Amino acid sequence: MLKFFTRKRKKVGLALGSGAAKGLAHIGVLKALAENRVPIDLIAGSSIGAVVGACYAKTGEIYYLEELIKEVDWRRLAKMLDPNIALFFKGVIYGKKVKEFLRTIIGDVDFKDLKIPLSVVTTDAETGEEVVIKEGSVLEAVRASISVPAVFTPVKHGNRFLMDGGIIDPVPVDIVRKMGADYIIACNVIQVPKKEKKHYHLKPHHCTHPSGECPEGSLLKAWSEKIDDLIYENKDKINRMRKFFRMVRKKYSGADDLDPAVPTMFEAIIRTIYIMEYEIVQSKIKTADMIIYPDTKGISQVEFNRGEEAIAIGYKKTMEVLSKNHTAFWR
């Protein structure tokens, strides 16, 4: 008697890397993969990759995150950060307001409740060990993974203090393989470090909803209202921080002689980490089956206001890569 067996398809894993604002290209990557009906069974993310990965893993959809990135006024958003002079030497930004803001996007969801299994990569601030979180609060894990050293205070997790996952594993290919992936797609936005020009213009928004209409009274409105609330709640702290820096500026007479092009402290720190991550990622990413390199070299790590452009770059590059794979590679 003949027996027929149905071949089980490959599990497709997606590794989303760090890169701050450059990492918004991940949204475009996911959009292109979805349009081409590429199944994503497992996700691992570091830093900004953890943010985007968590949003997608929750619902299996990327449209709303794309709309939120395009709609937000990033200059207003910057005002909601919670600088704390008392914690200056532990991390300028405490992160409580940032976590509240992330909650409006990710929600209070547990890893076990996600639609797609997710692993979030972080780094032990004391030992430098890689710490992969895949249980408990997704929000807490993502908050830890985005904690850039000296910018955000580390996050306590059990008996550890965790920080930016990109420091130890910029594009977590090995992690998604350990999760059980048979075919791995890796998205890397960390390219050859070079001087980048800053752009401050904002492009007009165009709705990308499949219906052609942006739903009103939706998550977009809720997100905007949350920004307003956080700014209002934090205004006294922001004003105190501004007074502190004005006082420092007056005290040190040479401040006005600085070249305006000198990078800020935050830019210098992020840039240093980026250069380090570039060296690490070169060897780790080679084992992925498909590597997507969105050309984000013209966007700096702090230019979140260029999210729409980054998304378009990620989308275009992914469509190019997929066009070279004429068969369903996950079969």
Side-chain angles (χ1 to χ4, degrees), residues 204-216:
H205 168 64
H206 301 288
C207 181
T208 58
H209 191 275
S211 68
E213 298 180 359
C214 292
E216 297 191 11

Side-chain angles (χ1 to χ4, degrees), residues 310-321:
I311 292 170
I313 291 171
Y315 178 84
K316 179 181 179 181
K317 187 61 180 179
T318 305
M319 294 298 280
E320 290 176 359
V321 173

Side-chain angles (χ1 to χ4, degrees), residues 82-330:
D82 49 353
N84 193 320
I85 298 173
L87 298 173
F88 194 85
F89 295 103
K90 294 181 181 292
V92 176
I93 300 171
Y94 178 48
K96 182 179 180 181
K97 301 298 182 184
V98 172
K99 188 169 75 173
E100 290 177 18
F101 181 69
L102 286 173
R103 182 177 282 112
T104 67
I105 307 173
I106 301 170
D108 288 311
V109 63
D110 194 281
F111 277 89
K112 63 181 175 56
D113 298 320
L114 294 173
K115 187 173 182 179
I116 301 171
L118 171 73
S119 288
V120 173
V121 179
T122 68
T123 304
D124 188 306
E126 296 177 327
T127 66
E129 293 176 278
E130 181 176 57
V131 179
V132 181
I133 305 177
K134 48 189 176 181
E135 295 180 342
S137 169
V138 176
L139 179 64
E140 290 291 339
V142 171
R143 163 66 180 88
S145 190
I146 67 170
S147 297
V148 179
V151 178
F152 290 95
T153 54
V155 175
K156 189 171 184 179
H157 183 77
N159 61 350
R160 296 176 181 264
F161 286 95
L162 305 178
M163 58 185 182
D164 194 343
I167 296 172
I168 190 72
D169 200 350
V171 185
V173 173
D174 290 342
I175 300 303
V176 78
R177 178 176 288 106
K178 290 176 182 177
M179 293 173 71
D182 302 307
Y183 189 97
I184 300 174
I185 302 172
C187 180
N188 175 42
V189 298
I190 303 173
Q191 299 160 341
V192 180
K194 71 172 202 174
K195 185 176 181 180
E196 296 161 337
K197 295 181 180 179
K198 297 178 185 179
H199 300 268
Y200 296 100
H201 64 281
L202 295 176
K203 293 185 177 181
H205 168 64
H206 301 288
C207 181
T208 58
H209 191 275
S211 68
E213 298 180 359
C214 292
E216 297 191 11
S218 65
L219 187 59
L220 301 178
K221 182 179 179 182
W223 207 35
S224 181
E225 290 175 349
K226 186 62 177 178
I227 294 173
D228 289 335
D229 290 342
L230 291 172
I231 291 174
Y232 180 78
E233 293 171 9
N234 208 37
K235 64 179 183 179
D236 292 338
K237 190 180 293 184
I238 292 170
N239 288 333
R240 288 198 299 271
M241 199 70 173
R242 284 173 177 167
K243 289 180 181 178
F244 171 76
F245 283 116
R246 281 200 296 267
M247 178 187 70
V248 172
R249 187 180 181 86
K250 289 180 179 178
K251 185 173 181 180
Y252 295 97
S253 58
D256 291 329
D257 298 328
L258 284 176
D259 187 326
V262 172
T264 66
M265 177 177 67
F266 299 118
E267 290 172 335
I269 292 171
I270 293 174
R271 191 68 179 161
T272 301
I273 293 173
Y274 182 85
I275 293 170
M276 177 183 67
E277 290 177 349
Y278 171 76
E279 296 299 330
I280 296 173
V281 81
Q282 298 311 302
S283 59
K284 288 200 170 187
I285 201 170
K286 291 179 181 178
T287 58
D289 299 287
M290 178 186 292
I291 305 175
I292 300 171
Y293 288 102
D295 187 9
T296 58
K297 61 177 176 291
I299 300 175
S300 80
Q301 295 92 320
V302 296
E303 289 184 306
F304 285 92
N305 61 299
R306 298 177 68 191
E308 185 170 1
E309 186 178 344
I311 292 170
I313 291 171
Y315 178 84
K316 179 181 179 181
K317 187 61 180 179
T318 305
M319 294 298 280
E320 290 176 359
V321 173
L322 290 176
S323 69
K324 298 176 182 178
N325 290 270
H326 302 294
T327 58
F329 52 81
W330 57 91

Side-chain angles (χ1 to χ4, degrees), residues 36-53:
N36 284 273
R37 298 183 179 180
V38 176
I40 302 299
D41 303 297
L42 306 161
I43 302 173
S46 291
S47 201
I48 186 67
V51 177
V52 176

